[in-house]
Amino acid sequence: EGRLGFVRAEVTGGIVAGMISVPASMGYAILAFAPLGPALLPDAVRAGLLAIIVGCTVALLSGGRTTFAYAPRSVVAFLISALLLQSSGEARAWAEASGSVRGMFVLILTITVLAGIFQALFGVLRIGRLVKYIPAPAIAGFQNAAAALILGAQFGSLLGFPDPLPIAAIVSRFDEVELLTMLVGVTTCAVTLKGARLVRGVSPTLLGITTGTVLYYGLAMVGFKDYLGPVIGKIPTGLPDVEIAGEMARMIFLPAIEPLLPTIIGGALSIAVVASLDGMLCARIIAADARKRIDGNRELVRLGVGNVVSPLIGGMALGLNLAASFAAQRAGARTSWSVAVHGVFVIACMLLLPPIIEIMPRAVIAGMLSAVAIQLVDRWTLRLIMTLLKGEAAHRPRMLVDLGIVVVVAVIAIAVDLVLAVCLGVSVAVVFFLMRMSRSVVRRSYRGDQVRSRIARDTASASLLAYRGIEILVLELEGALFFGTAERLDAAIERQCASSTRFLILDLKRVQDIDSTGARVLQQVCDRFARDARFVLLAGVPAGSVLGGLLGELGLLGAVTADRRFPDADRALEWAEDRILLEWRGARSPSDFPLGQLDLLHGMEEHEVSTMRSLLRLSRFQPGEVLFRAGDPGSDLFVIVSGRASATLELGAGREVRLITFAAGTAFGELGLLDQESRSATITADGELICYVLGRSDFVAVTRMYPGVAIKLLRNLSRELSYRLRWANRTVFE
C-alpha cells in the first residue's frame, strides 16, 4: 500500500500540474506572440507547450529533486510581447532583417536563447541573489505595467476582432464589436477569477476555459455563429521544430542584424533579469510551502539552460508555474517523479489534443489572460493607495515617494520603453535610498551625568560623577557609515564636543556597514582628540566580530588601542568614569578606605562604628571566585573595601548578562539579609576582592542589643536601595 500510495500521489500530482499548466501556457504563448498576427498563433501555442516539456526534461537530467512545475510565465510573456511591440521603425528593421513575420518569430526565439545564457551565467557566477535587490517600487511598477498591457492586449480578441488592434483603433471601429464574443470572454474571466469559490477541487483556469468554450459553442448551436469571434485554428502536429536552430544560425549573419544588436542584447538582458527575479521568488514560495530548502543559484542555472534549449526546438521562455506547483504538492507529490509525469502528460496533450485546441475560441483565451492580468496587479500598490486615501499613513512622504516610483515606472513602461522603465525605476529608487541613508546616523546622544554605567559606587564617587560626568559624551550610531553619512557624523561630533568633552564614546552596536570614507572620518576624529589629550572609545565592537574585522582592515583599530575598545557602551562608560575618579583621588588601598567612611555606616558615632567593627569579619576572594550563585540560600551582607564584584544572570546556552558591578565602598547581599530568601543573582569577584561580611545572626544581635545602631544601619540600607531604584528608573527612561 505504501509503494502504491507513493506512485498514485506522484502520478496524480503530475497530471494535475499538467491540467493547470497546459491551458495557462497556451494563453501566455498567445499573449507573447499576438503582435505577429493570427498566422503565427498555431506556432505560438506549440511554443508554449514545448517549453513545459523542455523545462521538465532539463530539470530531470540536471538532478532536480523538487516538484516544481516548469512552464511559461505571464511576466516573461509580457516582456516578449513588449519587445515585439517596439516602435514602427524598429519593427520594419526587424522585418527587413528577418525577411518575414516567421523571421521575426525566429528572432524573438534567438533573443530568448541569449537571455537563457545570461540567466545561467547569473547562477554560475552566484550573483543570482543580487537580483532580489531590485527595489520593490520598481518591480511593482513593472508588474502593474505588465498587468495593464496584458489586459489592453486582450481587448481586440474580447470584442471579436480577428487581428490585434490598439485601443485607439478599437474605439474608431466600435460599431464592429461582437457583443456575444465579449460575453464569452467576460464569462471566462469571471469564472477564472471566482472558480475556486464556485467549485472546489477544480483548477479555476480549467473551469474558466471550459465554461467559456461551452458558452461559445452553445451560442453557435442556437444560431449565433456569425456573431462570434474566431477560434485558434490549426496547429502543427509535430513535436520539436528542428528547423528553428538552423534559421537562427542563418539570421545571426544577416547584415541587417548589426544595427539591432543593442536592442537584441538589451531585450535579452531584460528578459534574463526579470525571469531570474520571478523564478527565484517563485522557487522560494514553492519551497517554503513544501518546507524544503533550495539552492537559488543552481535553480537559475537550470532555468537558464531550459531557456537556451527550448527556443532551439521552437519553444518559448519558461519559468515556474506557482498554481501548478502548489496543485501538485496538494495532490501528494513529493519527488521529481511528478515532474516526469507532468512532462509526459504534456507530450500526450500535444499528440492527442490538437483537434480540441484548434477549435478553442480566442475570446476564451483572452478572457483567461484578462483574469491573469487582474491577478497580476501588485497588491502592495493597492494597499499603499488605500492607506494613503484613508489618511492612516504614519510615514506619508516616504509612501508618496514609493507610489511615485511605481507610477513613473509603469507609465514609461507602457508609453515609452520597458527596459528604460526598469532602469529608470532602479535609478530613482537608488537616489531616494541614498537620500534616506544620508540622514544623520546618530540615533541618540547623552552625557555621563545623565546616564551612568552599571557600577554601584560610594556616595562621594557618585556625587563627583554627577558633576563631572558631563565630560563624557556617548553617541549611539545606527545604519551604514558611508560617504553619504560620514561627513554629517563629523559635523555632529564637532557640534556636540565642546571643550568640556574629554571622553567620546562611539556606540557602533547598530552600525551594519562602514566604508573607507566613514573610516577616514573616524580616523580624523581620533587624531583630533588625541592632539587635545582627549579620548575616543569604541563600543559595540566585540572581539572577533565582523565589524571589528572590517575596522581592522580599514586601519581604524590602529588609532584606538585595544584597551579603549569595548563590547558595549556600558563598559566604555565604566572605563571613562574610572578615569575621572582616578584623576580625582588617585589609587586607593584598603587602608585608605576607613571603616567610618563606608556608606553603610553613614551617620554613626565613633562608638557605634566600633560596635559594627566588632561584628564585621574581613574576607578575601580571588579573581573569578564566585561568592554565591542565583538560587543559593544565604543571608550575609557584603561591604566591599577593595576591588569589584559583578552581579550576573544566566540566560541559557552559555550566555549571561551583567546586572550591576559593585565598587569599593558599596554593599550587596542586603536582600538576603532582610528577607532571608534565596539569592537573586550570581556574584563573582572581578579581581582581588576584600570585603567586610555581616552575618544574619550578628544583624539580629545588633537589633536586640543596639537598636539605635540597627536603625541607622537599616536607614542607610534603605537609602542605598532607594538610590539604586531611582537610578535604574532614570536609566531605563533615558
Side-chain angles (χ1 to χ4, degrees), residues 323-391:
S325 300
F326 285 147
Q329 290 176 179
R330 299 294 185 274
R334 293 293 179 268
T335 71
S336 56
W337 282 103
S338 65
V339 178
V341 174
H342 183 195
V344 172
F345 178 84
V346 177
I347 293 174
C349 288
M350 291 193 68
L351 294 175
L352 302 176
L353 298 184
I356 297 176
I357 297 174
E358 290 168 1
I359 62 173
M360 188 173 293
R362 293 187 197 172
V364 170
I365 299 297
M368 186 267 291
L369 289 173
S370 298
V372 169
I374 294 171
Q375 294 169 337
L376 191 61
V377 174
D378 182 57
R379 298 296 181 265
W380 173 75
T381 304
L382 296 179
R383 288 196 300 270
L384 190 64
I385 294 172
M386 293 304 298
T387 303
L388 289 170
L389 290 177
K390 292 178 181 178

Side-chain angles (χ1 to χ4, degrees), residues 1-14 331-333:
E1 179 62 32
R3 183 71 176 175
L4 183 61
F6 167 78
V7 173
R8 184 187 300 116
E10 298 300 318
V11 171
T12 303

Side-chain angles (χ1 to χ4, degrees), residues 421-434:
V422 174
C423 293
L424 181 63
V426 172
S427 301
V428 171
V430 168
V431 169
F432 279 103
F433 170 77
L434 290 176

Side-chain angles (χ1 to χ4, degrees), residues 187-196 204-205 207-209 367-368 371-372 375:
T187 301
T188 302
C189 178
V191 173
T192 302
L193 290 173
K194 302 296 183 180
T205 301
L207 183 64
I209 290 176
M368 186 267 291
V372 169
Q375 294 169 337

Side-chain angles (χ1 to χ4, degrees), residues 433-451:
F433 170 77
L434 290 176
M435 291 174 62
R436 292 174 185 170
M437 290 295 293
S438 296
R439 69 183 189 275
S440 176
V441 293
V442 179
R443 175 178 179 268
R444 186 172 74 128
S445 64
Y446 54 88
R447 291 192 175 270
D449 60 337
Q450 301 169 317
V451 177

